[in-house]
Amino acid sequence: MTASLWSRRRWCTFVVIPAVYFASFAFSPGLFQIVGVNHYGVWFLDSFAILASNDALARGLDPYGPNALDYFNRPHVYSHWWLGLGKLGLTRADNFWLGLSLVVAFLATVAVRLRPREPREVLWYWVVLCSSPVLLAVERANNDLVVFVLLAPVVPCLLHANRWVRLLPVALIAVAAGLKFYPGIAGLVLLAGSDVREVRGRLGIAVVALAVVGINLISDLAQFSGLVPRANGLMTFGSVHLFEAVGAFGWRATALGLSTAMAIVGVFVRYRVFAGWEVAEADRADWLAFTLGAALLAGCFFTGTNFGYRWVFALWLAPLLWRLPRDVRAPKYVRRLATLTGALLVWVLWADGIASAMLARFSDTVPAGILMKWADIFFMLEQPLHWGFFATLLGWLTHFACSGLRTLTTGAGKKTR
């Protein structure tokens, strides 16, 4: 068997098995309980909620109020940009094909980005892709999948030979921020590049674009600031959980999270943990994708609390976390930190789903209140591991940002294309 034929077969195997995995839940919804995902008997609940908001608007109802057209009476808690779907003629009747199309687009985007080079790497990607939070996002057709697909071209565009194509990431990030706010933090990756003048121009355009988007969305924040559902317990993550456990709530918890993040960054800067290391040129795309995913996840973690859908961006971390520990050219401490980051990633992706599945087995014999108490105890006990994971992400992000800023100030840096 030729190497190219084996490569194609390996890639096909990587695509087919997850497709069968996700499809199996459609044929046997009882499998959701095994992986700790709560399926309500209806597919694509989150895309349905957005279409229900559009239907409410079309009927002259307030989409930001309790919506009787939605299964759970959910109000619209996203930017008004989503309310343009109704103008395209989309209604709740289109939910199944729309949700399915989004899921297919997401999985196709994953297949294009993740190209395993050996059988063990295939298994590593399955561990990330088939995790409970990713399944939850797929099962709900959550709009984080839209952000994922929208931001996927950012890295290829940044590495493109054409200068104008390298400007496209600014538009992609601005549109994503207009849809869900938090993708604005992805602007960090725009530091990539060795042409100082180009990078400065790109950053300047990005600042203006994000400012325009922010001004456009001010009214939305006033509309639904008190309506956003609280992400708490298993299958959620956020720095505020730890601070709320000791009595700090609201802006105080958020401020403590951001202050701690700054302190962690300061430690990495002070001790120059990554001194002397730069990613190999062959891994440049994986490094930028890692930075993009890490920025989104860390930004969400240190500014509040989030549902597990956000973990879809962990797929962009996977390639570098596989290759760096095996890169003999990298210093030992870099390989070890990559190994630690990968191990913690497995925990944060799978622990809550397994815990939920185990607790569900006792639902017929143990009162719900006690099960909730057990879930809360487990959730608090695992917080140090969540913090450990995001602390390592801050380390990698600090190295990327320092390298980029050094290029801007001195003109010295490695090419990214």
Side-chain angles (χ1 to χ4, degrees), residues 349-400:
L349 287 178
W350 282 96
D352 283 10
I354 293 173
S356 296
M358 293 178 65
L359 290 172
R361 296 180 65 87
F362 295 98
S363 59
D364 294 332
T365 57
V366 179
I370 294 178
L371 289 177
M372 290 296 297
K373 185 177 180 179
W374 289 353
D376 290 341
I377 291 173
F378 176 83
F379 183 67
M380 292 312 302
L381 289 176
E382 70 171 341
Q383 289 309 300
L385 293 174
H386 278 241
W387 274 84
F389 173 73
F390 284 101
T392 64
L393 289 192
L394 282 184
W396 299 105
L397 291 173
T398 300
H399 176 63
F400 175 84

Side-chain angles (χ1 to χ4, degrees), residues 262-317:
M262 293 174 63
I264 294 171
V265 169
V267 170
F268 280 104
V269 172
R270 171 67 177 81
Y271 291 100
R272 298 173 54 83
V273 176
F274 294 90
W277 173 75
E278 289 294 337
V279 70
E281 193 64 31
D283 294 329
R284 181 65 58 177
D286 292 337
W287 173 233
L288 293 181
F290 179 95
T291 301
L292 180 61
L296 291 166
L297 290 170
C300 290
F301 177 81
F302 285 105
T303 56
T305 178
N306 314 265
F307 289 105
Y309 317 120
R310 297 280 199 276
W311 286 116
V312 295
F313 301 113
L315 287 159
W316 288 333
L317 311 182

Side-chain angles (χ1 to χ4, degrees), residues 171-245:
L172 295 172
I173 292 171
V175 172
L179 293 175
K180 292 210 70 176
F181 303 97
Y182 72 84
I185 193 63
L188 177 68
V189 79
L190 298 177
L191 280 170
S194 58
D195 186 325
V196 176
R197 186 175 180 180
E198 178 184 326
V199 174
R200 286 175 178 170
R202 189 167 58 215
L203 289 174
I205 296 172
V207 169
V208 173
L210 290 174
V212 170
V213 169
I215 292 171
N216 183 256
L217 299 180
I218 289 177
S219 60
D220 291 325
L221 293 174
Q223 287 275 13
F224 63 75
S225 59
L227 303 176
V228 179
R230 168 73 177 174
N232 195 34
L234 298 178
M235 300 287 258
T236 71
F237 66 93
S239 64
V240 300
H241 295 304
L242 190 60
F243 297 115
E244 289 176 347

Side-chain angles (χ1 to χ4, degrees), residues 28-325:
S28 182
L31 294 174
F32 280 111
Q33 188 172 356
I34 297 176
V35 293
V37 172
N38 193 358
H39 181 65
Y40 292 95
V42 180
W43 281 89
F44 311 141
L45 277 171
D46 290 348
S47 59
F48 185 89
I50 293 175
L51 292 175
S53 295
N54 280 268
D55 287 351
L57 185 64
R59 296 187 182 188
L61 304 175
D62 180 13
Y64 296 100
N67 188 357
L69 303 180
D70 177 59
Y71 289 109
F72 299 108
N73 296 319
R74 290 170 290 182
H76 187 68
V77 293
Y78 306 110
S79 80
H80 67 275
W81 292 19
W82 293 99
L83 297 177
L85 291 176
K87 297 178 180 179
L88 300 176
L90 296 173
T91 69
R92 288 167 295 162
D94 300 300
N95 185 55
F96 184 78
W97 74 259
L98 184 65
L100 183 60
S101 298
L102 176 57
V103 169
V104 171
F106 165 71
L107 294 177
T109 303
V110 172
V112 170
R113 178 67 192 90
L114 304 183
R115 291 187 172 273
R117 303 173 187 176
E118 58 174 293
R120 291 182 304 166
E121 190 174 2
V122 173
L123 295 176
W124 166 241
Y125 289 159
W126 284 347
V127 167
V128 180
L129 178 59
C130 297
S131 61
S132 299
V134 175
L135 175 63
L136 180 65
V138 167
E139 181 259 348
R140 299 288 182 89
N142 185 265
N143 52 9
D144 279 337
L145 300 184
V146 175
V147 176
F148 184 95
V149 173
L150 186 60
L151 293 182
V154 165
V155 170
C157 286
L158 285 174
L159 297 174
H160 200 275
N162 187 289
R163 179 184 295 267
W164 296 105
V165 174
R166 295 198 294 272
L167 276 177
L168 285 178
V170 174
L172 295 172
I173 292 171
V175 172
L179 293 175
K180 292 210 70 176
F181 303 97
Y182 72 84
I185 193 63
L188 177 68
V189 79
L190 298 177
L191 280 170
S194 58
D195 186 325
V196 176
R197 186 175 180 180
E198 178 184 326
V199 174
R200 286 175 178 170
R202 189 167 58 215
L203 289 174
I205 296 172
V207 169
V208 173
L210 290 174
V212 170
V213 169
I215 292 171
N216 183 256
L217 299 180
I218 289 177
S219 60
D220 291 325
L221 293 174
Q223 287 275 13
F224 63 75
S225 59
L227 303 176
V228 179
R230 168 73 177 174
N232 195 34
L234 298 178
M235 300 287 258
T236 71
F237 66 93
S239 64
V240 300
H241 295 304
L242 190 60
F243 297 115
E244 289 176 347
V246 294
F249 295 90
W251 67 267
R252 293 180 179 83
T254 301
L256 286 170
L258 291 172
S259 299
T260 307
M262 293 174 63
I264 294 171
V265 169
V267 170
F268 280 104
V269 172
R270 171 67 177 81
Y271 291 100
R272 298 173 54 83
V273 176
F274 294 90
W277 173 75
E278 289 294 337
V279 70
E281 193 64 31
D283 294 329
R284 181 65 58 177
D286 292 337
W287 173 233
L288 293 181
F290 179 95
T291 301
L292 180 61
L296 291 166
L297 290 170
C300 290
F301 177 81
F302 285 105
T303 56
T305 178
N306 314 265
F307 289 105
Y309 317 120
R310 297 280 199 276
W311 286 116
V312 295
F313 301 113
L315 287 159
W316 288 333
L317 311 182
L320 192 76
L321 292 180
W322 174 261
R323 293 182 184 125
L324 257 188

